[in-house]
Amino acid sequence: MKSRLFAAIALSLAAVTAQAEDGKLSIELNKFEPGESGGCRAFFLFRNQTGNSFEAFEMSLAILDTNGVIDRLLSIDAAPLPVQRTVLKLFEIPEIDCSDISEVLLHDLPACKPQNADPVDCFPLLALDSKTSANLAQ
């Protein structure tokens, strides 16, 4: 009886580990274009393969200029992020040309809450990428 219980627990832990390894929330900085107000418009693609929809997902970003100096901090709300979907979100980065951005640093996630669940630490779930001239890093 005990061996069956241990086997069941081991299988459950293996399933949770496999889901954690495979179930990523991919964030891609896909494109920059000049914004309407003179800044830079950033296009982000969110691919949610975590198995959970997120009702809250806020990112705190540091925008670095071409000298690697923090130009500004920007807080953006990307929620909702449905499970098994790719979502496009556009955000304005004011008062800086796109060509003057060398890096976008994701330095904090003030809110990360799966639907109908308690908030979680989402950093281990993230996979970051950029198709722009600026690096997207954490």
Side-chain angles (χ1 to χ4, degrees), residues 24-28 123 125-129 138:
K24 291 293 185 182
L25 176 56
S26 299
I27 303 172
E28 178 184 282
F123 274 106
L125 301 174
L126 299 182
L128 304 180
D129 191 24
Q138 64 178 343

mmCIF file of all heavy atoms in Angstrom, residues 24-28 123 125-129 138:
data_model
loop_
_atom_site.group_PDB
_atom_site.id
_atom_site.type_symbol
_atom_site.label_atom_id
_atom_site.label_comp_id
_atom_site.label_asym_id
_atom_site.label_seq_id
_atom_site.Cartn_x
_atom_site.Cartn_y
_atom_site.Cartn_z
ATOM 1 N N LYS A 24 5.599 27.494 -20.589
ATOM 2 C CA LYS A 24 6.207 28.816 -20.488
ATOM 3 C C LYS A 24 5.225 29.915 -20.888
ATOM 4 O O LYS A 24 4.297 29.690 -21.655
ATOM 5 C CB LYS A 24 7.440 28.912 -21.391
ATOM 6 C CG LYS A 24 8.615 28.075 -20.932
ATOM 7 C CD LYS A 24 9.172 28.607 -19.645
ATOM 8 C CE LYS A 24 10.423 27.873 -19.219
ATOM 9 N NZ LYS A 24 10.930 28.356 -17.951
ATOM 10 N N LEU A 25 5.481 31.070 -20.368
ATOM 11 C CA LEU A 25 4.814 32.292 -20.800
ATOM 12 C C LEU A 25 5.868 33.071 -21.579
ATOM 13 O O LEU A 25 6.793 33.639 -20.992
ATOM 14 C CB LEU A 25 4.294 33.092 -19.616
ATOM 15 C CG LEU A 25 3.664 34.448 -19.935
ATOM 16 C CD1 LEU A 25 2.529 34.304 -20.938
ATOM 17 C CD2 LEU A 25 3.167 35.109 -18.675
ATOM 18 N N SER A 26 5.780 33.023 -22.885
ATOM 19 C CA SER A 26 6.759 33.686 -23.752
ATOM 20 C C SER A 26 6.349 35.131 -23.980
ATOM 21 O O SER A 26 5.198 35.408 -24.312
ATOM 22 C CB SER A 26 6.850 32.975 -25.104
ATOM 23 O OG SER A 26 7.261 31.656 -24.929
ATOM 24 N N ILE A 27 7.319 36.026 -23.787
ATOM 25 C CA ILE A 27 7.108 37.446 -24.055
ATOM 26 C C ILE A 27 8.122 37.845 -25.118
ATOM 27 O O ILE A 27 9.326 37.725 -24.910
ATOM 28 C CB ILE A 27 7.300 38.305 -22.799
ATOM 29 C CG1 ILE A 27 6.367 37.831 -21.677
ATOM 30 C CG2 ILE A 27 7.065 39.784 -23.128
ATOM 31 C CD1 ILE A 27 6.626 38.513 -20.350
ATOM 32 N N GLU A 28 7.618 38.298 -26.250
ATOM 33 C CA GLU A 28 8.482 38.705 -27.354
ATOM 34 C C GLU A 28 8.270 40.180 -27.652
ATOM 35 O O GLU A 28 7.143 40.610 -27.894
ATOM 36 C CB GLU A 28 8.155 37.878 -28.597
ATOM 37 C CG GLU A 28 8.965 38.263 -29.812
ATOM 38 C CD GLU A 28 8.529 37.475 -31.027
ATOM 39 O OE1 GLU A 28 8.936 36.293 -31.122
ATOM 40 O OE2 GLU A 28 7.775 38.022 -31.858
ATOM 41 N N PHE A 123 8.262 34.810 -12.628
ATOM 42 C CA PHE A 123 9.582 34.863 -13.258
ATOM 43 C C PHE A 123 10.067 33.493 -13.742
ATOM 44 O O PHE A 123 10.611 33.401 -14.841
ATOM 45 C CB PHE A 123 10.611 35.518 -12.338
ATOM 46 C CG PHE A 123 10.641 37.019 -12.460
ATOM 47 C CD1 PHE A 123 10.098 37.811 -11.475
ATOM 48 C CD2 PHE A 123 11.210 37.638 -13.565
ATOM 49 C CE1 PHE A 123 10.118 39.193 -11.586
ATOM 50 C CE2 PHE A 123 11.242 39.020 -13.684
ATOM 51 C CZ PHE A 123 10.690 39.800 -12.689
ATOM 52 N N LEU A 125 8.407 31.175 -14.989
ATOM 53 C CA LEU A 125 7.602 30.762 -16.145
ATOM 54 C C LEU A 125 7.984 31.486 -17.431
ATOM 55 O O LEU A 125 7.556 31.086 -18.511
ATOM 56 C CB LEU A 125 6.121 31.025 -15.876
ATOM 57 C CG LEU A 125 5.487 30.348 -14.672
ATOM 58 C CD1 LEU A 125 4.057 30.847 -14.485
ATOM 59 C CD2 LEU A 125 5.530 28.845 -14.814
ATOM 60 N N LEU A 126 8.766 32.563 -17.325
ATOM 61 C CA LEU A 126 8.992 33.447 -18.466
ATOM 62 C C LEU A 126 10.083 32.965 -19.408
ATOM 63 O O LEU A 126 11.102 32.415 -18.995
ATOM 64 C CB LEU A 126 9.365 34.846 -17.970
ATOM 65 C CG LEU A 126 8.333 35.566 -17.112
ATOM 66 C CD1 LEU A 126 8.843 36.950 -16.750
ATOM 67 C CD2 LEU A 126 6.993 35.638 -17.792
ATOM 68 N N ALA A 127 9.850 33.216 -20.682
ATOM 69 C CA ALA A 127 10.846 33.052 -21.745
ATOM 70 C C ALA A 127 10.800 34.343 -22.550
ATOM 71 O O ALA A 127 9.766 34.677 -23.128
ATOM 72 C CB ALA A 127 10.521 31.846 -22.614
ATOM 73 N N LEU A 128 11.900 35.098 -22.562
ATOM 74 C CA LEU A 128 11.936 36.414 -23.205
ATOM 75 C C LEU A 128 12.709 36.361 -24.516
ATOM 76 O O LEU A 128 13.707 35.645 -24.634
ATOM 77 C CB LEU A 128 12.594 37.439 -22.278
ATOM 78 C CG LEU A 128 11.987 37.603 -20.886
ATOM 79 C CD1 LEU A 128 12.749 38.655 -20.106
ATOM 80 C CD2 LEU A 128 10.516 37.944 -20.953
ATOM 81 N N ASP A 129 12.241 37.174 -25.484
ATOM 82 C CA ASP A 129 12.900 37.257 -26.779
ATOM 83 C C ASP A 129 12.607 38.634 -27.376
ATOM 84 O O ASP A 129 11.644 39.293 -26.990
ATOM 85 C CB ASP A 129 12.378 36.160 -27.709
ATOM 86 C CG ASP A 129 13.206 36.010 -28.971
ATOM 87 O OD1 ASP A 129 14.399 36.391 -28.974
ATOM 88 O OD2 ASP A 129 12.661 35.519 -29.978
ATOM 89 N N GLN A 138 15.774 40.126 -18.374
ATOM 90 C CA GLN A 138 15.273 40.186 -16.984
ATOM 91 C C GLN A 138 16.412 40.107 -16.010
ATOM 92 O O GLN A 138 17.497 39.739 -16.341
ATOM 93 C CB GLN A 138 14.263 39.094 -16.717
ATOM 94 C CG GLN A 138 14.775 37.688 -16.792
ATOM 95 C CD GLN A 138 13.688 36.669 -16.454
ATOM 96 O OE1 GLN A 138 12.671 36.990 -15.888
ATOM 97 N NE2 GLN A 138 13.914 35.456 -16.819
#
